[in-house]
Each structure stands twice: as C-alpha cells, then as structure tokens.
Amino acid sequence: MKFTVAIDGPAAAGKGTIAKAVAAHFGFAHLDTGLLYRAVGVLSQGDDPVKVARALSPDDLQRDDLRSAAAAELASKVAPNLDVRAALLTFQRDFARREGGAVLDGRDIGTVICPDAEVKLFVTASAEVRAKRRLAEFGPDASFNEVLADVLARDKRDAERSAAPMKPAQDALLLDTSNLSIDAAVTEAVANITKALEGRR
Ligand code: DC
C-alpha cells in the first residue's frame, strides 16, 4: 500500500513530534526533511551546496551534528537555493511513495514535494508559544526576547523566500497547537488519517 502523510509548519510548532507519533501509530516510515537541508548545510561549508545535495546519501542523515543551532543556521542558508531543492526532490518523492506508507515533515511537502498526498496537515502555533518551547529546550540562560526574535526571523525567511515558501496547502487540515496539547493534536491527526485510510478501502 502507498499512502503519504504530508506535515508542514514552522519550527517548534510540534510537527516533528506529531509526525513521529503518527508514523509509529500506523507503522509508516518517517522522514524529517529538515535533516536533508541541515546535512547539505553542514557538508557544504566551503563547498558547492548543489554538488553536495546531488551526492547526498541516506547515511548523511545519521550524522549526530544535524540537530544543533549551527546546523539550523547553515540549513536556512542553503534552503532558498532552487538547485539544492531540485536535487533533493526525487529522494523525497521516492520516500513518500514507498510501500507501507510514509510520513514526511517539512515546509513544502503538501505544496511542492507531495501535492497528491492522501493527507496534508499544517501544524502551527503562535510565535510566543513556540519561543517559550524553544526557551525550555535551551535552558534558563537564554533570553525570551532573543529566542522570539530568532523564531520571527526564521518564519519570515521561510515564508517569504521565492523557492517553495512555507505555506499551508489549500487542502491541508490546520492544527494550531498554541492551546492544544501535543497528545490532543496527535489524536486529531490520527483521526484524520484513519478517515482517509478508510475512504480508500
Ligand atoms: O525543520 P528544520 O528546523 O530542521 O529546518 C531546517 C531548515 O531547512 C529551515 O530553514 C527550513 C528548511 N527546510 C525547508 O526549506 N524545506 C523543508 N522541507 C524542510 C526544511
């Protein structure tokens, strides 16, 4: 069975957690597509990012330095590059149509990578709520105003770039986790996917 769940949204809205939970629930494979851009960013310091993107292998996604703030910064520099995005397209589409179902999370999955995905979710939360979540990860030394400014700057960059900007697909279900626990958001996502799966039987 081929079945694609596309989950998009800004950083720290909860899309990664929701993607992992629904993949585990349905036994689908999960791809965090941000890791592709992070790996290209990290591996292309001083090198051509397009060349690196074309040569990227699944093993590169296992690097243990991809979750850092530095990797996020490097990723956001290569992500607007159309040739980098084109080089990563086939890998993502092949992953999405693998047997057994797939969940992909990112910024442009429902709009560009998998416009025909069976289920599309756009997970969001207010900038303040996302900054608070980030602050909890960074520890007490970080300043709320600095983290909030960083969240707003990243949103602006992701949403305003001309190459595959972050935006909800027209047929995406919006999940606002500002006042919704992650458990409740996962329950809503699971219900939506279950309905789509039943509609195919
Ligand atoms: O979700 P993340 O923080 O791992 O994303 C890292 C960067 O990559 C961020 O600047 C957005 C970008 N990205 C993208 O342009 N398209 C995707 N499908 C996923 C991430």
Side-chain angles (χ1 to χ4, degrees):
M1 179 206 60
K2 293 181 179 172
F3 191 92
T4 308
V5 180
I7 306 185
D8 292 303
K15 66 180 185 313
T17 311
I18 293 170
K20 251 183 248 150
V22 300
H25 182 92
F26 293 100
F28 294 167
H30 170 224
L31 178 64
D32 168 0
T33 62
L35 288 179
L36 299 168
Y37 297 92
R38 286 169 181 257
V40 172
V42 167
L43 290 165
S44 67
Q45 294 170 79
D47 203 349
D48 174 11
V50 179
K51 202 177 86 191
V52 170
R54 287 186 182 138
L56 204 69
S57 86
D59 283 350
D60 295 326
L61 306 183
Q62 307 299 326
R63 293 174 63 100
D64 55 15
D65 56 353
L66 299 184
R67 308 265 174 203
S68 68
E73 187 60 30
L74 291 164
S76 77
K77 301 236 164 75
V78 298
N81 184 319
L82 270 178
D83 294 326
V84 166
R85 304 195 75 86
L88 300 175
L89 191 72
T90 305
F91 177 76
Q92 295 176 82
R93 286 200 177 144
D94 287 350
F95 191 97
R97 298 319 281 168
R98 66 201 277 149
E99 276 303 324
V103 181
L104 288 82
D105 72 272
R107 303 289 189 288
D108 62 339
I109 309 303
T111 49
V112 175
I113 306 294
C114 307
D116 297 328
E118 280 76 6
V119 174
K120 297 179 188 175
L121 305 175
F122 193 85
V123 182
T124 184
S126 73
E128 286 73 17
V129 165
R130 288 184 288 124
K132 272 192 204 136
R133 290 182 190 155
R134 270 281 142 90
L135 203 63
E137 282 167 31
F138 292 160
D141 291 343
S143 119
F144 176 76
N145 285 341
E146 274 175 31
V147 176
L148 179 62
D150 187 53
V151 163
L152 290 171
R154 275 240 267 165
D155 283 359
K156 194 167 152 62
R157 242 182 316 182
D158 285 346
E160 290 184 358
R161 67 170 183 231
S162 54
M166 173 180 71
K167 63 171 182 214
Q170 274 188 349
D171 50 349
L173 171 76
L174 288 185
L175 275 180
D176 187 332
T177 65
S178 304
N179 298 305
L180 194 67
S181 71
I182 293 296
D183 276 357
V186 169
T187 302
E188 205 171 324
V190 165
N192 199 259
I193 296 164
T194 303
K195 206 166 91 196
L197 278 166
E198 283 169 355
R200 278 167 45 109
R201 291 207 181 106

